[in-house]
Amino acid sequence: MALVDIPGSKSVTARALFLAAAADGVTTLRRPLRSDDTEGFAEGLERLGYRIDRGPDAWRIDGRPEGPGVAEADVYCRDGATTARFLPTLAAAGHGTFRFDASPQMRRRPLLPLTRALRDLGVDLRHEEAEGHHPLTVAAAGVEGGDVVLDAGQSSQYLTALLLLGPLTRTGLRITVTDLVSVPYVEITVAMMRAFGVEVVREGTTYVVPPGGYRATTYAIEPDASTAGYFFAAAALTGGEVTVPGLGRGALQGDLGFVEVLRRMGARVETGADGTTVAGTGELRGLTVTMRDISDTMPTLAALAPFASGPVRIEDVANTRVKECDRLDACAENLRRLGIEVATGPDWIEIRPGTPRGAAIKTHGDHRIVMSFAVTGLRVPGISFDDPGCVRKTFPGFHEAFASLRKDIVG
């Protein structure tokens, strides 16, 4: 059995940084994720005038309920979608002129539903080049609040950004959602806002967020469930056993639901109060599964699928086409490189069982493509990656951790 220490959640760390920056007082974040995305988020906050003390095991953030501590700033968001979507929203609640840009990869990713909603709330926001994409400038003068309609069918991060903004407005927000993907990520946001003193009320498709701001607190970051999925999949594939402490029944992250997919395929799963264990049984069954709410784990299942006894069909994952890359096409392309028969549609992928051969994986600079096909590599010699280092986005030590796992469960 392998006991795997998974780094802190990227999603939880990003939300915690926003909440801590907006809260009244000093917040301590315990065991935050240290990766390119979260370091970029913290650096962006510092550019906006927030004070952060980044220790090895805890970060302390001096909150500024009134908004950024500078009148002007130029913020580079790197590849981070949470950074690129949350920080302009935070800045809008303050006063000053704030410019945001991002990497070429992040510039390609859509932003328009969020920026349209911010404009509907009176925010002076201008896209400098392509409408709905970075770079952009916010001329901030605070946000009054009120009613707004949002399409979050491409990304739940649009809704999260507005929810986080709500307590910083003068009158609160009523956000009516016309479409929503990845609902568990919104539930993470609502639970974390509660921990910082704000109660969000849901009325059908409308989220009601009161004004009044946030209270500083001490907040522990739980391990990243999406990252844990690669290690759980490894156990299911090899017949080994993996336990991840800190991800138990009370975990916030919906991506822990991936273990239920592995259970349906034949793995043994035990979720306790303080951790989750997955053990391979020598059986991997084919299945059809909807992954709309846990779409970040779609590539993990796709990389595991060739070893199933029947076809694996993954449905309702159109939003994976607008992630760091078009993940549906990237998974299909790489599976075909491995000699596996694949079909895709607008929001689905179907993978036939087969015997993968070694090949060079084209990563498209996407950390999840690398980590997913590392699972395939546990059973297939000769797999390499054109950009193995892109894992630094969420897990800089991934390759070392996976090599250690290989020794523990494969030998």
Side-chain angles (χ1 to χ4, degrees), residues 10 37 79 103 105-106 108-109 226 230 295-300 319-331 333-334 361-374 385-395 398-399:
K10 179 185 76 165
D37 269 14
D79 283 337
S103 69
Q105 184 189 68
M106 189 60 226
R108 290 192 294 270
R109 298 181 66 179
S226 307
Y230 309 116
S295 59
D296 275 348
T297 65
M298 179 278 290
T300 320
N319 67 311
T320 63
R321 292 192 178 278
V322 291
K323 298 285 188 176
E324 281 81 346
C325 69
D326 183 331
R327 286 181 178 158
L328 269 178
D329 278 357
C331 286
E333 172 191 21
N334 284 306
I361 299 298
K362 191 170 181 182
T363 66
H364 300 275
D366 190 331
H367 58 131
R368 299 214 182 278
I369 299 299
V370 175
M371 293 190 277
S372 295
F373 281 92
F385 303 95
D386 62 3
D387 184 10
C390 67
V391 296
R392 64 185 174 273
K393 180 179 176 68
T394 50
F395 191 175
F398 171 79
H399 294 295

Side-chain angles (χ1 to χ4, degrees), residues 1-22:
M1 184 187 79
L3 193 70
V4 182
D5 183 25
I6 299 293
S9 164
K10 179 185 76 165
S11 302
V12 174
T13 301
R15 285 159 175 78
L17 283 168
F18 184 115
L19 290 161

Side-chain angles (χ1 to χ4, degrees), residues 169-212:
T169 65
R170 287 181 275 273
T171 63
L173 288 182
R174 290 180 57 88
I175 309 161
T176 299
V177 182
T178 59
D179 192 14
L180 179 59
V181 70
S182 302
V183 173
Y185 282 96
V186 177
E187 293 170 351
I188 293 173
T189 305
V190 170
M192 291 184 65
M193 289 173 69
R194 186 179 304 118
F196 282 77
V198 173
E199 193 70 42
V200 176
V201 176
R202 184 172 180 180
E203 300 173 352
T205 60
T206 299
Y207 292 80
V208 182
V209 190

